[in-house]
Amino acid sequence: MALFSKPIKTLDDLFVHTLQDIYYAENQITKALPKMIDKATDPQLKQGFELHLQETKNQITRLEKVFQMHGQPVKGVTCAAMDGILEEAQEIMGDVDDKEVLDAAMLAAAQAVEHYEITRYGTLVAFARQLGRADCASVLEENLAEEKATDKKLTMLAESKVNRMAA
Ligand SMILES: [Fe+2]
Ligand SMILES: [Fe+2]
């Protein structure tokens, strides 16, 4: 993971590397979400995960567009942070038996994912603007807006219902 396929010398290199990082992360999320959909008991939580799986697939398509716009091959690089967040989610899912507590645990894990994505997309938008790629920035902003909206929905669901049911 610490070995980059190409040395990062410029802000442009860093932009491309970060794009590859989030591309890998989004692809890992599409693999993790079906298990969470499967295990979710609360219908709203299940539906929320289902919706976000569709959004995530769309986000991957947008990222592929940004690679193309920036003249770069579509490629991912291992994101140790996302691997770690998802590994931890898997672990806790295996450790919790109570259905309601499991919902609260998966919701919390999903928020950790969203927060990671928000930081990455925030950085990517800023880098793109700095590099004079307002066109790339506006595509990345669409993903950022979806992640923020998902995080907000998860917070509302946790506070209005899921945490209470788990208590
Ligand atoms: Fe995403
Ligand atoms: Fe997300």
Side-chain angles (χ1 to χ4, degrees), residues 40-51 103 107 153-154 156-157 160-162:
T41 301
D42 182 89
Q44 263 178 290
L45 184 64
K46 198 187 266 286
Q47 201 182 31
F49 285 158
E50 275 164 359
L51 174 71
D103 273 357
L107 194 157
K153 275 191 242 168
L154 287 169
M156 274 175 8
L157 191 57
S160 69
K161 184 160 63 165
V162 171

Side-chain angles (χ1 to χ4, degrees), residues 26 29 52 56 59 113-114 117 147 150:
E26 293 286 16
I29 293 163
H52 202 51
T56 301
Q59 290 171 355
V113 169
E114 295 315 309
E117 293 182 290
E147 310 300 12
T150 300

Side-chain angles (χ1 to χ4, degrees), residues 72 74 82 89 106 124 135 143 149-150:
Q72 290 291 322
V74 175
M82 187 53 71
M106 288 194 294
L124 279 163
D135 54 343
N143 284 10
T150 300

Side-chain angles (χ1 to χ4, degrees), residues 5-151:
S5 48
K6 214 177 110 191
I8 298 169
K9 291 180 183 160
T10 64
L11 186 66
D12 197 284
D13 295 340
L14 189 59
F15 173 67
V16 172
H17 175 77
T18 310
L19 204 56
Q20 293 168 344
D21 172 287
I22 195 71
Y23 186 71
Y24 171 90
E26 293 286 16
N27 277 286
Q28 294 304 108
I29 293 163
T30 62
K31 290 181 204 161
L33 272 172
K35 286 175 217 148
M36 293 167 79
I37 291 167
D38 205 49
K39 290 203 168 193
T41 301
D42 182 89
Q44 263 178 290
L45 184 64
K46 198 187 266 286
Q47 201 182 31
F49 285 158
E50 275 164 359
L51 174 71
H52 202 51
L53 177 58
Q54 290 316 308
E55 281 178 341
T56 301
K57 288 177 182 167
N58 218 351
Q59 290 171 355
I60 289 171
T61 306
R62 285 196 201 106
L63 288 175
E64 287 166 353
K65 193 170 145 195
V66 174
F67 276 112
Q68 199 186 10
M69 287 161 77
H70 204 56
Q72 290 291 322
V74 175
K75 186 175 161 271
V77 286
T78 304
C79 168
M82 187 53 71
D83 280 347
I85 290 170
L86 293 176
E87 211 173 288
E88 203 177 271
Q90 282 278 86
E91 246 169 61
I92 195 117
M93 282 162 70
D95 286 346
V96 179
D97 288 326
D98 183 272
K99 280 178 188 301
E100 271 88 22
V101 177
L102 179 60
D103 273 357
M106 288 194 294
L107 194 157
Q111 286 200 281
V113 169
E114 295 315 309
H115 282 237
Y116 180 79
E117 293 182 290
I118 290 166
T119 138
R120 280 303 183 231
Y121 283 119
T123 295
L124 279 163
V125 167
F127 284 172
R129 285 206 193 111
Q130 184 60 46
L131 292 165
R133 297 306 309 250
D135 54 343
C136 295
S138 75
V139 177
L140 292 162
E141 265 173 340
E142 291 179 49
N143 284 10
L144 178 60
E146 280 179 357
E147 310 300 12
K148 283 184 179 169
T150 300
D151 182 51

